[in-house]
Amino acid sequence: MPFKTFQISDGVSLIQETGVANFMRCNIWHIKGRDFDLVVDTGMGLSPLKAHIVAATEKPLKALVTHCHFDHSGGLHEFDCRLGHRAEADILANPANEAVVYGGGWTKIEIVDPKAHPEYRPETYSITPAPLTGHLDEGDLIDLGDRAFQVLHLPGHSPGSIGLWDVKSKTLFSGDAVYDGELLDGLYHSDKAIYAHTLSRIRNLGAEVFHAGHYPSFGQAQMTTLIDTYMAGNNTLSDPVAWFNDEKEKSTDMFADQDWSGAAHG
Ligand SMILES: [Zn+2]
């Protein structure tokens, strides 16, 4: 199975791309709505994603990416409706590897299981262009009919990072602006000062459930710890190769499927 789906809460499923190292595997969120379903992030694009989702719904699909990085945007091209922030529209239309941060240390570490994806080659991998069919920006409303999300522009990790804020359920789909792991603020188009501003905004938002771009979902207390630790100068990742070697020692199987549904709430 190229993907595994976990039911997280009412109308929210988490789809995981199998055979991708668990620290790199992005969370693909399928949010069911009355009028249409929303797909939030699309994985590395190693296997067809749309067919997997279509099998689970009869509703039309709108796909969006929280930002352009390869682990989130690799499957976007498959969808007819492709949404994202204007600041990363050019990158998504012409996704050179360096622009989607597939390069440097990330190509030197094992992020894809050769047993699951024998056709994957780090030296030839690239993602398919996915020109946006619509732009999302701060304040836009995505109304599924029975639930609605406000788009938050959350730059810093990347210039066009966005989050989806459901004020009713106090749930934030946060992309890579914040997740329960070491945060990345040193990529070529990251901006540390802008990122700090984004994090203080998230800290004060009043969100109680965080469905992030990576790792299990978490609540308000953990969000506060993550952001405060970052603000104190810790909890960042700057050298992927050294970090990977360290992780590898701690991990028994970096490619294991993880059932994170137990960690989620909301
Ligand atoms: Zn990212």
Side-chain angles (χ1 to χ4, degrees), residues 223-244:
M223 174 276 292
T224 306
T225 301
L226 286 162
I227 291 179
D228 289 354
T229 309
Y230 172 83
M231 296 293 194
N234 301 306
N235 199 32
T236 54
L237 194 171
S238 49
D239 180 351
V241 178
W243 179 86
F244 173 77

Side-chain angles (χ1 to χ4, degrees), residues 73-231:
S73 63
L76 184 63
H77 66 95
E78 292 182 51
F79 297 87
D80 299 326
C81 176
R82 303 179 296 275
L83 307 173
H85 194 275
R86 188 187 304 272
E88 293 175 12
D90 289 347
I91 296 173
L92 290 161
N94 183 17
N97 279 354
E98 315 75 55
V100 296
V101 301
Y102 187 77
W106 299 110
T107 48
K108 298 192 181 78
I109 60 181
E110 200 175 31
I111 57 173
V112 174
D113 183 357
K115 289 198 290 292
H117 298 283
E119 73 297 343
Y120 170 82
R121 296 280 179 281
E123 59 280 11
T124 55
Y125 170 84
S126 64
I127 68 167
T128 305
L132 294 177
T133 59
H135 294 154
L136 297 172
D137 205 350
E138 176 70 30
D140 288 351
L141 198 72
I142 302 177
D143 190 349
L144 280 61
D146 52 353
R147 70 185 299 176
F149 295 96
Q150 193 188 326
V151 175
L152 308 183
H153 185 204
L154 303 173
H157 173 78
S158 75
S161 283
I162 55 168
L164 299 181
W165 172 224
D166 178 357
V167 67
K168 239 176 161 178
S169 65
K170 294 190 164 44
T171 300
L172 179 68
F173 287 82
S174 59
D176 284 4
V178 65
Y179 48 75
D180 194 358
E182 288 97 334
L183 302 172
L184 288 171
D185 65 0
L187 305 168
Y188 79 98
H189 58 182
S190 300
D191 185 308
K192 289 183 170 68
I194 291 175
Y195 191 41
H197 182 263
T198 281
L199 288 176
S200 69
R201 185 182 180 198
I202 292 172
R203 198 181 184 287
N204 296 319
L205 192 63
E208 291 174 0
V209 178
F210 292 82
H211 294 319
H214 296 273
Y215 302 115
S217 298
F218 53 94
Q220 201 165 41
Q222 180 63 1
M223 174 276 292
T224 306
T225 301
L226 286 162
I227 291 179
D228 289 354
T229 309
Y230 172 83
M231 296 293 194

Side-chain angles (χ1 to χ4, degrees), residues 67 69 72 157 176:
H67 62 299
H69 296 161
H72 298 258
H157 173 78
D176 284 4

Side-chain angles (χ1 to χ4, degrees), residues 41-56:
D41 286 330
T42 60
M44 284 183 68
L46 299 171
S47 315
L49 171 64
K50 190 176 156 190
H52 180 82
I53 296 178
V54 165

